[in-house]
Amino acid sequence: MTSARTRERLVSRLREKGIEDVRVLDLIRSTPRHLFIEEALAHQAYDDTALPIGHGQTISQPWVVARMTELLIAPGVPRRVLEVGTGSGYQTAILAALCEEVYSVERIRPLQDQARKRLMSLGMARVQLRHADGGMGWAAEAPFDGILAACGRPDIPQELLAQLADGGRLVMPVGELDQQWLTVVDREGDTFRTTRLDAVRFVPFQRGILK
Ligand code: SAH
């Protein structure tokens, strides 16, 4: 169920659904998604669906991870990236394989602890994880060439826009709970160019942290 054939089927499915970037498809193939979920769900690890990870959260659907990664790296792979919503750590692992420096914040402590263990065991100890409200970004490490948020809300937090480097790109679902769009913001100096793309459904971007 975690075989090369199962993974290859997922890659074909993503290609059919419009993912074209070979770097992204290769990473979907090589990243062990089954290690980012409970063992009881491992048989579904390479299905193109979101799955529960506890605390009311989900590991994102592979198509969503692939699409967001493809959008983030389209102008050039960002050197330093901020991720909001570490969750299982699956998207974090994909970013870590592409970018030099990855900073990821998560507001639910037990999810972060688990993600840390997984990333360490995969030899990705370089990734910087922080238990914090991602709505505030990570000011001490800003600016970021890329920002990716895996949770949605109707507006893009000002702090995130402020922490985006000149020439940087932010990718985030924007909208109400039942109707969100993947949104790309490109910063050129003080100009922020916003593009609304695919309709998506993410867990909410919440405020504050949970112990
Ligand atoms: N890419 C992750 C997605 C997890 S779901 C994965 O595939 O596993 C989104 C995550 O965002 C959840 O873990 C949720 O707790 C977190 N989240 C929501 N609002 C947040 C906030 N303000 N700051 C940090 N993390 C947040």
Side-chain angles (χ1 to χ4, degrees):
M1 63 195 180
T2 56
S3 69
R5 207 160 45 121
T6 320
R7 295 188 191 197
E8 208 49 56
R9 201 174 56 205
L10 173 60
V11 170
S12 307
R13 187 103 191 82
L14 298 186
R15 241 193 243 111
E16 281 162 25
K17 288 184 170 177
I19 305 298
E20 291 176 352
D21 194 312
V22 177
R23 294 167 295 181
V24 174
L25 292 168
D26 282 349
L27 280 170
I28 293 282
R29 185 183 292 110
S30 62
T31 307
R33 190 169 184 255
H34 63 281
L35 300 183
F36 290 87
I37 53 179
E38 276 174 48
E39 238 175 281
L41 295 175
H43 64 287
Q44 293 182 69
Y46 299 95
D47 291 352
D48 189 24
T49 51
L51 294 166
I53 55 171
H55 307 273
Q57 307 304 319
T58 54
I59 181 171
S60 304
Q61 179 192 352
W63 175 81
V64 158
V65 171
R67 179 76 175 128
M68 289 184 93
T69 308
E70 186 172 75
L71 289 169
L72 188 76
I73 69 175
V77 176
R79 199 175 76 76
R80 307 178 77 244
V81 173
L82 172 68
E83 177 189 32
V84 177
T86 316
S88 66
Y90 175 65
Q91 169 85 70
T92 322
I94 292 201
L95 292 174
L98 284 164
C99 310
E100 253 170 72
E101 293 177 30
V102 179
Y103 299 84
S104 184
V105 292
E106 171 56 57
R107 66 184 287 276
I108 302 178
R109 179 116 235 178
L111 286 181
Q112 190 204 18
D113 290 343
Q114 243 180 349
R116 187 187 303 282
K117 279 193 207 127
R118 289 176 182 136
L119 293 165
M120 294 279 274
S121 71
L122 290 170
M124 294 182 165
R126 277 186 313 117
V127 173
Q128 302 281 316
L129 302 178
R130 184 166 180 234
H131 180 225
D133 178 354
M136 311 306 287
W138 192 330
E141 296 295 347
F144 300 99
D145 308 308
I147 299 181
L148 187 154
C151 36
R153 64 183 235 186
D155 58 310
I156 301 173
Q158 277 308 319
E159 287 81 355
L160 294 186
L161 294 175
Q163 292 175 26
L164 190 61
D166 191 5
R169 170 171 277 205
L170 173 147
V171 183
M172 172 180 163
V174 178
E176 303 295 340
L177 257 193
D178 52 348
Q179 195 172 46
Q180 302 162 345
W181 283 270
L182 272 189
T183 303
V184 169
V185 180
D186 288 304
R187 177 173 194 171
E188 299 295 341
D190 289 334
T191 306
F192 294 85
R193 197 158 30 86
T194 302
T195 315
R196 202 165 88 167
L197 298 157
D198 320 74
V200 286
R201 221 169 169 169
F202 276 76
V203 297
F205 196 126
Q206 287 168 320
R207 286 174 205 275
I209 56 171
L210 287 181
K211 296 280 173 216

